[in-house]
Amino acid sequence: AKSQRGLSKTATLKMFSEEDAQRQKAALDAKYRQHGIKVVSDYVPETPDIPPCDYCGKNWSGNQSCGRCKMVFYCGRECQIGDWKHGHKEECPEMKETSELAAKEVVSMMKDPELPPWGRVNEQLKRLDIEGPYRLAVQKYDLNGAIYQLMIDDSEETLNRNCKGIHLSYVSWIMSTLFRGGRREGKDHGSGGFSHLDPSRCRSYLKSSDDAFEVWWKASLVTVTMFLDPRIARRDANRYAAMRMARDVASAWTMALTDPKISKAIFLKKTNNGERKKNIQRVEKMLTELGKTINIFWNAPNDLDTDHYVEAHMVQVGGMVHLRCQEYGIKLKSNTVELLGLNGRHQAMFLRVVVPFAKAKIVKGGILTNAENESMFKEVECDELRQTFFSDRGSNNNATRI
């Protein structure tokens, strides 16, 4: 028989019982982590990004591409045949060339600091609606990097731009065009509505840099509150335009957190055990900043229209974060309501109304209909709290308000 020294690693492990082997592996993994070495078991399994069908728009279903141009993706043969009849037959011969051109020109436009704001984001973004040119833009021309830089610019300059009458938010454009689900408009088979985000595109961006989420979140918070800035709020044209952008961004964030794949990309970032604290810190900072943002609505002057729609959606984002933390087992240092700064009647409103509504959206996987909303309000039985939540303004006591 061979000596123990001559045995391979696999053969040596077989000498121990399964239980001993598990204990040995756990001890080794602990030593690796102590020295900052990544351990495979610390990673959350990652599913590959699958684009939506370029014909019916169904998310996470584009498993097969056109055999000729390789630029459009479908969930099955039926959709492929349907798209062929609806125009792809004519587009296909030149699709690869036009996709390459679209990817190059759109990203170049987005990256060009010499262009005015409307020259960097406009209807040209729709040239990336189809998956083929979008992938080329990401892989060859660094589209995610262009998105990242525009969102940084938004955080720093969007308020000044809109005060000067330039009614534009980069993050609003990006979320409602590049990240929007159901992009194929003008076809008689689809509504082209904006009721969900594209998880594959959102995940691609979120994975593109360590602080991609933080940059996106910061730009979003600036956009949802800028219509309350006195320089904008007192001028109707500026205020209405800023309010419209705020509505788009606020509702898009509820769509993002309704989607499990986007939520996991935010809350369960693939890191080793030594960096799990960063995931917790990210969520805590998200909630703290969200609480401060909602306070801006509550501290606005009484004569300003604070737009209940934007306000309600941002509060609902808090409810969704609360539920996702429970679902993913994220243990925060403080609970959600404390991080949001809620207490008293507003804490009760959050737990009795906002969280159940958020849960209904997550369970459904999308926006609730008017009938579903009315049914939910009857179910929670809190008309008195609902009135208080949206009418208690004018007080300077932040401790009693959101």
Side-chain angles (χ1 to χ4, degrees), residues 337-381:
V337 293
E338 289 176 352
L339 290 167
L340 286 171
L342 303 176
N343 54 42
R345 295 175 69 81
H346 295 109
Q347 178 178 330
M349 179 71 177
F350 180 80
L351 296 174
R352 287 177 53 188
V353 182
V354 175
V355 171
F357 266 84
K359 184 175 182 180
K361 272 192 172 183
I362 289 173
V363 170
K364 181 181 178 181
I367 296 173
L368 302 181
T369 64
N370 289 336
E372 289 168 335
N373 278 319
E374 287 302 318
S375 176
M376 282 296 301
F377 268 121
K378 289 178 182 177
E379 185 177 326
V380 296
E381 298 178 346

Side-chain angles (χ1 to χ4, degrees), residues 318-335:
M320 290 181 168
V321 175
H322 172 80
L323 290 168
R324 291 301 188 190
C325 286
Q326 291 182 345
E327 179 183 356
Y328 302 144
I330 298 174
K331 297 180 180 179
L332 306 174
K333 291 181 180 179
S334 301
N335 63 46

Side-chain angles (χ1 to χ4, degrees), residues 158-159 162 168-169 222-229 232 242 245:
T158 189
L159 182 59
N162 281 271
L168 180 139
S169 160
V222 171
T223 297
V224 298
T225 56
M226 69 179 175
F227 71 92
L228 296 174
D229 186 280
I232 293 176
M245 291 181 279

Side-chain angles (χ1 to χ4, degrees), residues 379-399:
E379 185 177 326
V380 296
E381 298 178 346
C382 61
D383 285 340
E384 182 184 354
L385 275 174
R386 174 173 51 170
Q387 282 186 339
T388 302
F389 194 74
F390 290 119
S391 63
D392 184 15
R393 288 192 167 78
S395 168
N396 292 321
N397 182 8
N398 293 340

Side-chain angles (χ1 to χ4, degrees), residues 59-84:
N59 275 341
W60 221 257
S61 65
N63 289 301
Q64 63 185 55
S65 63
C66 171
R68 297 183 181 183
C69 68
K70 311 289 186 185
M71 290 290 109
V72 287
F73 292 76
Y74 305 107
C75 56
R77 182 166 175 75
E78 184 177 346
C79 280
Q80 186 170 1
I81 293 173
D83 198 30
W84 187 259

Side-chain angles (χ1 to χ4, degrees), residues 9 19 26 33 36 50 53 62 98 131 135 173-174 180 205 209 211 245 272 299 325 332 341 347 351 359 380:
K9 183 179 178 181
E19 189 175 330
R33 294 187 188 107
I50 302 171
C53 174
T98 57
E131 186 62 21
R135 285 193 176 189
W173 264 95
I174 290 164
R180 179 170 70 99
Y205 167 75
S209 67
D211 61 342
M245 291 181 279
N272 63 23
N299 289 323
C325 286
L332 306 174
Q347 178 178 330
L351 296 174
K359 184 175 182 180
V380 296

